[in-house]
Amino acid sequence: MKKLYKLLLITIIFVVLSIQPTLAKTVYYDTYGHWAEEDINFSSNTLKVFNGYGDFTFRPEKDITRSEFITILCKTAYKQNKMNEVYTSNMAYNDMSDKHWSYTFVISMYEHLKTNADYTFKDIFPEGNFNPDKAITREESAALIAAFCKNAIYDNPLPLKDVKENHKYYNEIKRLHNAGLIMGYEDETFRGDTNITRAESAALIKRVFNDIKTSDSSKYLTKIEFLPIKGEDMYSYFGSYNYNTADTQDKKYIKAKDTLEFISFGGYVFPEDAHLYDLNAIETLYTLHSDEYYNIAGINFYLINFGNFNDEEKNLFSNEILADIITRNDLNDSEYMQLFTTISKFDVKESLYMEALEKWHSTTDSDNAKANILFFRYVYYIKNNNTDMLRTLVYNDLKKANNIPSLLNINWSLAPSSQATDFRNYSFGIYSFSLYKDMTLYRYLMNPIVPLNYNSKVIELVNLLMIEKTEKQNYSDLREYDNIFYKYSLNRLYVLNFIDEKERAFVEGMNDYNIIKTFDMYSINKQNLDDIYTGILKKVKY
């Protein structure tokens, strides 16, 4: 039966590959149902750094050699621009030359480790021979990946009994263990002299890839994010129009707007259809502007987005839009969203901007819109680098302890506080970690307030010790606001990082991450949310 199963699987593989060559992926019949099946698939087909054998086997339980492991690690690092491929080196091993298939990968790793502060390639492999086809050990592989994976969110004591503090790679193994990259055995040993298998290597390389990816701080907290508003992706008339109107100005405006929309979506006006469009739409709109046509918001929106005007003129148009918003009552949420997305790029008067936002807030029943109004207020002060006002706003929001209805009930009278805002006040809301100011793990262990549960996660910041609580916190009130909370979390963390309150950002980010894990959205999009919050926490910690 086993032979029949293998034959059947190989037949299916050949059929699939012959029918859909462009979609083909490598399938190994000896990994089906294996504990590392997904990891092997990821490393072979997604990363494309790991190859199987010509007989459609992967041989997951076979030991991986030094040259093979270095090759897949190099390829992974290349893909994320963490090391350069080199072709010449002063590496001197008796048994290595450019005749060996892995030579360029090995010398690339050799040269890269010259930049490592704590140890070199020769420290890991000190013999006169490199022995490229010798099975690599857990300790050797840990030393190699530690050169790329340098950040861990957690700082738990290392529980591995056979890795003492005088171990030459103690700090590296502790960091990798806290980052979830390497694991111990059930008896809490590391067994560094043990060889690692191809399956274990595939699982490890997937974790390494994700760790490197989430250590790129340029990917996280780069902008304020907004909630979707239905209709915001369509060009609006900014007001209600009767398309059969007899009003000459209305006709000109409608025709000019429709022309700009048609062309912006790739439309081409054929000569025989020219009468249906306004081929001088910007000039028409500017004439309407000069003639004081009533729909200032609509005209100026299209002049800014399609006209060839300088920044000073666009600033003027934007201020005029704000003044128009304040006096009108016929704009809907999607139109407000389009207007503020455009206006926020330019230099406008604070009083007009805030009054227009308040006008929008007073006319909407949408929680998404109210949340976006909160975020646009952040945007204004970020653009103008008004850190005093940002500190006041985000501190006031923190005091509302993640109560979404309270957050959406915006206080428009806030002004920069005359008293310093104390972001080290950790009494806001319910936290999943116990927080100890001006405390280190060493001092805590000398005289523990509560005995440390080694199943609990520990985090050491510069002036703060965080220890995970045993009891689970209840965040059920937030589940009906899951999407709003998620965007609010990202934006609040962005502001805290912007004003350099990184310790506070870390505390809130860790708590938000634990809250997000209780939402349905997490089970649907686990990998992406894990990456986002891991990346954010690394960014504000280091």
Side-chain angles (χ1 to χ4, degrees), residues 231-258:
E232 66 176 307
D233 55 344
M234 301 297 294
Y235 285 116
S236 174
Y237 290 101
F238 301 100
S240 300
Y241 278 88
N242 176 5
Y243 306 129
N244 297 318
T245 180
D247 185 283
T248 302
Q249 288 189 319
D250 283 354
K251 283 184 173 181
K252 289 180 178 179
Y253 173 73
I254 293 170
K255 192 172 185 179
K257 176 265 179 191
D258 288 348

Side-chain angles (χ1 to χ4, degrees), residues 63-159:
D63 289 344
I64 190 169
T65 67
R66 290 175 171 181
S67 56
E68 289 171 332
F69 186 83
I70 287 173
T71 297
I72 64 170
L73 181 57
C74 284
K75 288 180 178 180
T76 302
Y78 294 159
K79 287 179 178 293
Q80 296 181 310
N81 298 317
K82 291 300 177 183
M83 68 178 292
N84 298 318
E85 187 171 6
V86 301
Y87 302 97
T88 59
S89 171
N90 63 355
M91 184 183 78
Y93 285 105
N94 298 328
D95 57 348
M96 281 299 288
S97 72
D98 58 6
K99 304 300 181 185
H100 195 278
W101 68 267
S102 69
Y103 184 72
T104 56
F105 295 109
V106 174
I107 63 172
S108 294
M109 185 65 70
Y110 178 90
E111 293 297 321
H112 180 77
L113 283 176
K114 286 181 178 180
T115 66
N116 190 50
D118 299 310
Y119 52 86
T120 66
F121 190 94
K122 195 70 176 177
D123 292 326
I124 304 173
F125 307 104
E127 302 93 348
N129 289 332
F130 173 59
N131 296 310
D133 301 319
K134 181 179 179 179
I136 198 167
T137 66
R138 285 166 58 81
E139 181 180 289
E140 291 164 347
S141 63
L144 289 169
I145 66 172
F148 299 95
C149 305
K150 296 183 177 296
N151 301 330
I153 294 173
Y154 303 108
D155 302 290
N156 288 54
L158 186 61

Side-chain angles (χ1 to χ4, degrees), residues 6 9 61 112 135 158 171 191 203 214 244 297 325 327 331 333 340 358-359 383 389 405 427 439 451 474 483 485:
K6 288 182 179 179
L9 188 56
E61 299 309 316
H112 180 77
L158 186 61
N171 291 329
R191 306 180 197 173
T214 57
N244 297 318
I325 288 172
T327 63
L331 297 173
D333 288 329
F340 276 98
E358 188 174 2
K359 176 62 177 289
K383 182 181 183 302
M389 192 61 193
S427 61
M439 178 71 72
N474 186 355
N483 289 313
F485 175 81

Side-chain angles (χ1 to χ4, degrees), residues 366-414:
S366 165
D367 284 344
N368 276 18
K370 289 178 182 178
N372 285 345
I373 292 165
L374 184 76
F375 305 153
F376 273 121
R377 192 166 62 159
Y378 288 157
V379 166
Y380 180 86
Y381 293 115
I382 289 167
K383 182 181 183 302
N384 290 280
N385 199 30
N386 189 337
T387 55
D388 289 340
M389 192 61 193
L390 283 170
R391 293 178 71 85
T392 299
L393 293 179
V394 75
Y395 190 78
N396 185 70
D397 290 344
L398 282 168
K399 290 194 296 184
K400 295 180 180 180
N402 290 333
N403 183 307
I404 300 300
S406 179
L407 283 163
L408 300 184
N409 183 21
I410 298 173
N411 181 355
W412 295 100
S413 63
L414 284 176

Side-chain angles (χ1 to χ4, degrees), residues 153-154 214 402 432-433 457 459 475 485-486 489-490 492-493 505-519 522 525-537:
I153 294 173
Y154 303 108
T214 57
N402 290 333
S432 52
F433 280 73
K457 294 183 170 63
I459 298 159
Y475 303 109
F485 175 81
Y486 171 57
S489 167
L490 297 181
R492 180 184 53 184
L493 296 175
F506 189 94
V507 171
E508 296 300 324
M510 180 58 73
N511 206 51
D512 291 352
Y513 186 20
N514 284 320
I515 293 171
I516 292 289
K517 288 177 182 179
T518 69
F519 295 164
Y522 180 74
N525 201 17
K526 180 181 183 301
Q527 184 63 60
N528 186 50
L529 290 169
D530 283 341
D531 287 351
I532 288 170
Y533 277 94
T534 301
I536 288 172
L537 291 167

